[in-house]
Amino acid sequence: MKDHYWRAISIDSIDPEYFPSIPLFMKSAGNYVLYKDAQRKFSSSDRSRMERNGIEFMYVRSGDMEELSAYMEKGLDELLNNDDLDSARKGKILYQTSINYLVDAFEAPEQAANLERCRQLVRHLMHYVAGDEHALHSFQGVVAHNLYIYAHSVQVTALNLLAHEKLFQVDPDELVDVGVGSMLHDYGMIFVTNEILNKPDALSDVEYYKIKQHTQKGYEFLMDSHHFSDVSLTIVRHHHERYDGNGYPTGLKGDNIPRSAQLSALCDMYSALTLDRVYRKAVPHQEAVRMMREESGKAFNQQLLEHFIELVSDRKE
Ligand SMILES: [Fe+2]
């Protein structure tokens, strides 16, 4: 009898002020056990208890997710303007909210077309990333634990907003489109089986071919919904092109590759290297930079790469 499934919520993102009255569960010996019912609030002493016991996640029934997402998304404006909360905690709550959106979008495709929800989240991410010197740094600290594609999508969004804003002073309307495209850049992965996505060893030619199709398939699916701008769709379609023309899906070369796609490719590689994967640990910042420089003039425009490195290195100090 399984009429619902479970969604993990990081403890750090549960703040009594920004969390609705829904039941929370803990996982114990493989079972989900009620920790608190809808009536009781999750307090800071609950959080301390979890921290002492090394527990990072609580669980919510899928049926309660709609209420949770609506509540958290509604509270974001207030949260970001609340001076009593530090930047790291804001980042954690914003991050969990974005993850909730992405999981919905990947699990229920009609959610991806809920453009207004996506745009709101991107606006909040922009506000957060641009509004605080340490925001991106805090944000990167948040991104380590979750399911890979979701965590990766949120990180690419934050980096890409920053890169477009700082390197090209892109106007706010276009920035929102960049953010939406970044959130959904790997959307086509919903057409690839988990067996292939989570495979720890080398992929066969056929499997690699299927993975590569995520760009074109994601692009076609989102384009058919008629909700997305050209800038957003360009990022989804072209984020795996390479400067030397050996990328996919179209093999565009050099600066024929749209700027937003070139920046997305940089953010994509940096994020892929600096996040934990099922089959390998995250690479430290300096090592990631070294590996990206090996692709100078090959995967990336040399100048753009150096500007990007400067940008992410700045924020690391
Ligand atoms: Fe991708």
Side-chain angles (χ1 to χ4, degrees), residues 113-298:
N114 188 344
L115 189 59
E116 205 32 51
R117 205 177 150 200
C118 189
R119 291 175 74 90
Q120 280 299 346
L121 277 174
V122 170
R123 281 200 195 96
H124 287 119
L125 268 170
M126 274 165 65
H127 181 109
Y128 176 78
V129 171
D132 185 315
E133 257 316 288
H134 303 290
L136 185 71
H137 189 189
S138 303
F139 208 67
Q140 282 168 346
V142 174
V143 200
H145 294 289
N146 278 271
L147 296 169
Y148 174 71
I149 290 178
Y150 310 129
H152 168 69
S153 302
V154 179
Q155 191 182 44
V156 167
T157 305
L159 283 171
N160 220 358
L161 289 172
L162 184 78
H164 276 78
E165 216 254 324
K166 296 281 180 216
L167 303 181
F168 297 102
Q169 290 84 42
V170 166
D171 71 58
D173 282 348
E174 191 178 330
L175 269 186
V176 173
D177 291 341
V178 167
V180 170
S182 307
M183 281 265 216
L184 298 173
H185 76 280
D186 274 342
Y187 190 71
M189 291 295 193
I190 65 167
F191 303 111
V192 183
T193 61
N194 266 319
E195 200 189 339
I196 298 180
L197 286 179
N198 294 331
K199 195 175 167 184
D201 21 68
L203 297 174
S204 70
D205 287 351
V206 175
E207 288 165 337
Y208 186 52
Y209 172 77
K210 286 188 174 155
I211 294 251
K212 282 181 18 179
Q213 283 185 315
H214 79 277
T215 48
Q216 184 66 19
K217 284 197 167 175
Y219 165 72
E220 284 169 12
F221 183 91
L222 295 173
M223 187 174 59
D224 287 346
S225 78
H226 302 292
H227 284 291
F228 297 91
S229 72
D230 287 348
V231 172
S232 303
L233 292 172
T234 293
I235 290 173
V236 176
R237 188 179 193 198
H238 293 295
H239 69 273
H240 285 289
E241 305 289 357
R242 289 172 54 99
Y243 205 69
D244 59 15
N246 292 324
Y248 59 90
T250 61
L252 279 177
K253 195 171 179 178
D255 291 322
N256 287 329
I257 306 167
R259 184 181 70 192
S260 59
Q262 290 192 43
L263 285 175
S264 302
L266 286 161
C267 299
D268 191 50
M269 180 169 179
Y270 183 78
S271 166
L273 289 171
T274 56
L275 281 181
D276 282 335
R277 300 297 295 265
V278 188
Y279 45 86
R280 76 159 167 68
K281 289 300 274 179
V283 166
H285 169 75
Q286 283 306 339
E287 176 67 3
V289 166
R290 193 192 60 72
M291 290 166 81
M292 288 179 78
R293 282 213 170 99
E294 283 179 7
E295 291 291 343
S296 187
K298 297 183 221 159

